[in-house]
Amino acid sequence: MPRAIVDTSYSTSPLDGEPMEQTEAERLASVLKALADANRLRLISLIQSSPAGEACVCELTEPLGLSQPTISHHLRILTDAGLLERDKRGVWAYFRLVPEALTIIAGSITPPKQRHRRAAPAPRSR
Amino acid sequence: MPRAIVDTSYSTSPLDGEPMEQTEAERLASVLKALADANRLRLISLIQSSPAGEACVCELTEPLGLSQPTISHHLRILTDAGLLERDKRGVWAYFRLVPEALTIIAGSITPPKQRHRRAAPAPRSR
């Protein structure tokens, strides 16, 4: 099974404090690349808004107007990134969101609240 | 000035409710693409964590070990996406974060809280 690339060890936002290290930036960039595609965003949204919170490839081809292999390709990228989980039941695989993963990514790009509003000039000493 | 592509009219998360429309998905994907690069994430992080909350190109080349044209290229992508704002003062341009933009994107990918936890089977009637 491919390694999920969402780092669930993030406890705080990488934007909140010290400059981000190269390794951390590369890991976050990989997950954001998996998300940064209109078809994959729509797949996540369709799965998320489906009544059971899960969907199989067979239910996703028609709303997106894409072929089954193309849908499967996008689902694999999202699953490899740790954003979806896959459950094989009978002939079909069902996909559901890993809500923690999206919450972690959202937290990673949330800036600390208004920390850097343009400050008034410091008063001069004497 | 290029049009900022963060849509500040989002009032709720596109993941919270109806499936995302193609246009909305394309717009969000464009902004995520601007973010989905390790050097650009590090630039945002460096600017964010600088004491004044802003930085000029001259201050960003050394920590990233990249040339000035390369830094300028990445800063332009982030500015065009509406994630940074640019303030020209004298010979240098200073860049600061648009915190609202990142907050909106983070909100756009945050799933509704545990809405789709695997539900218990519905009780059978009679």
Side-chain angles (χ1 to χ4, degrees):
Chain A
M1 201 172 87
R3 191 174 58 83
I5 56 178
V6 174
D7 178 6
T8 51
S9 71
Y10 282 152
S11 57
T12 55
S13 163
L15 289 185
D16 192 2
E18 293 301 303
M20 205 183 287
E21 293 297 327
Q22 184 66 23
T23 319
E24 192 178 9
E26 279 169 8
R27 197 162 43 197
L28 183 53
S30 299
V31 188
L32 289 170
K33 270 187 193 121
L35 264 184
D37 177 277
N39 287 321
R40 292 199 285 274
L41 285 170
R42 290 190 75 202
L43 278 173
I44 288 179
S45 169
L46 278 166
I47 293 169
Q48 167 68 29
S49 56
S50 67
E54 65 175 11
C56 70
V57 181
C58 58
E59 297 166 313
L60 296 166
T61 48
E62 191 270 328
L64 261 74
L66 296 173
S67 71
Q68 198 166 300
T70 304
I71 297 283
S72 293
H73 163 76
H74 286 306
L75 289 172
R76 185 188 304 271
I77 290 173
L78 291 169
T79 309
D80 287 356
L83 298 168
L84 294 182
E85 57 185 18
R86 183 179 180 278
D87 184 20
K88 186 96 166 36
R89 298 204 296 274
V91 292
W92 291 107
Y94 289 79
F95 293 84
R96 59 170 52 232
L97 211 63
V98 180
E100 301 78 15
L102 279 171
T103 304
I104 288 165
I105 300 165
S108 301
I109 59 171
T110 302
K113 278 196 174 176
Q114 314 298 346
R115 195 174 54 175
H116 288 306
R117 279 215 171 277
R118 206 176 294 268
R124 291 193 196 173
S125 57
R126 269 181 288 176
Chain B
M1 200 172 90
R3 190 175 58 83
I5 55 178
V6 174
D7 179 6
T8 51
S9 71
Y10 283 152
S11 57
T12 54
S13 162
L15 289 186
D16 192 2
E18 293 301 303
M20 205 183 286
E21 293 296 328
Q22 184 65 25
T23 320
E24 192 177 9
E26 279 169 7
R27 196 161 46 196
L28 183 53
S30 299
V31 187
L32 288 170
K33 269 186 192 121
L35 264 184
D37 176 278
N39 287 321
R40 292 199 284 275
L41 285 170
R42 291 190 74 202
L43 278 173
I44 288 179
S45 167
L46 278 166
I47 293 169
Q48 167 67 29
S49 58
S50 66
E54 65 175 10
C56 69
V57 181
C58 58
E59 297 165 314
L60 296 165
T61 49
E62 191 269 329
L64 261 75
L66 296 173
S67 72
Q68 198 166 301
T70 304
I71 296 282
S72 292
H73 163 76
H74 287 306
L75 290 172
R76 184 187 305 270
I77 290 173
L78 292 169
T79 309
D80 287 356
L83 298 167
L84 294 182
E85 57 184 20
R86 183 179 178 279
D87 184 20
K88 186 96 165 39
R89 297 203 295 274
V91 291
W92 290 107
Y94 289 80
F95 293 84
R96 59 171 53 231
L97 210 62
V98 180
E100 301 78 14
L102 279 171
T103 305
I104 288 165
I105 300 165
S108 301
I109 59 170
T110 302
K113 278 198 173 173
Q114 313 297 345
R115 196 174 55 176
H116 287 309
R117 280 215 171 278
R118 208 176 292 269
R124 292 194 194 174
S125 57
R126 270 183 291 174

